[in-house]
Amino acid sequence: MASLLERLQSDLTAARKAQDKSRLLVLGTIVADVKNRRIELQRDPTDDDVLDVVRRGIKRRRESIEMFQSAGRDDLVANERAQVEVLETYLPPQVDPEELRNAVRAAIAGGAANVGAVMGKVMPQFKGRAEGGVINAIAREELSRKG
């Protein structure tokens, strides 16, 4: 199976050949970010390193969406949303919320009494497969039920 970086690069080449400007822009930016990450690490990035770069790209674009919405720039919001959709295709499948809920309950049963402690126990189990915000919301909900 090809590495994630190889997949990004081949999709970038395909977008270039198809003259798909929007995909070309977002994939070109991410591949450049991965190359910068390679320089930072002083080694070839692993798939996990590349996933971190993709996630940061998604986060940056979601922050831009919020700013553009508050400024009333719907044209730019649509563009950023399209870029997020392209990048999300490179993420691994997300974990089922029920599996997250069970892990949160186990952490609470194991003595985690606040959101920070629950996050500390649960996040490493699902690194890269679940968003922190989702886990945080479930943790708050379960802790409020307990209290």
Side-chain angles (χ1 to χ4, degrees):
M1 188 175 137
S3 76
L4 184 55
L5 178 57
E6 290 167 348
R7 198 173 129 208
L8 282 164
Q9 289 172 325
S10 71
D11 289 354
L12 175 64
T13 302
R16 194 172 282 131
K17 287 179 182 173
Q19 295 182 350
D20 183 345
K21 288 189 169 88
S22 60
R23 282 182 73 83
L24 186 62
L25 174 69
V26 69
L27 293 175
T29 303
I30 291 297
V31 169
D33 290 347
V34 170
K35 288 178 181 175
N36 290 337
R37 184 79 178 127
R38 175 185 289 147
I39 293 167
E40 282 174 34
L41 296 170
Q42 297 182 344
R43 63 173 167 77
D44 284 341
T46 63
D47 274 356
D48 284 340
D49 295 328
V50 175
L51 270 176
D52 286 341
V53 170
V54 171
R55 275 196 200 87
R56 274 196 304 251
I58 290 172
K59 183 178 181 198
R60 215 171 29 240
R61 283 163 181 81
R62 285 189 176 143
E63 290 167 354
S64 296
I65 288 170
E66 288 176 25
M67 288 190 303
F68 293 146
Q69 282 176 329
S70 65
R73 295 293 310 266
D74 294 336
D75 54 328
L76 297 175
V77 169
N79 185 29
E80 294 292 312
R81 277 205 178 110
Q83 289 184 13
V84 167
E85 287 174 17
V86 168
L87 292 178
E88 284 177 338
T89 63
Y90 296 97
L91 296 178
Q94 294 293 298
V95 176
D96 178 46
E98 199 52 42
E99 188 179 342
L100 292 174
R101 189 169 300 282
N102 291 336
V104 167
R105 287 178 181 149
I108 292 170
N114 61 41
V115 174
V118 172
M119 294 293 287
K121 288 186 175 189
V122 176
M123 281 301 288
Q125 298 172 39
F126 299 102
K127 180 168 177 20
R129 298 182 308 135
E131 289 187 23
V134 173
I135 295 172
N136 189 306
I138 292 172
R140 288 180 190 282
E141 188 179 311
E142 290 298 322
L143 285 167
S144 69
R145 284 186 189 161
K146 180 184 168 250

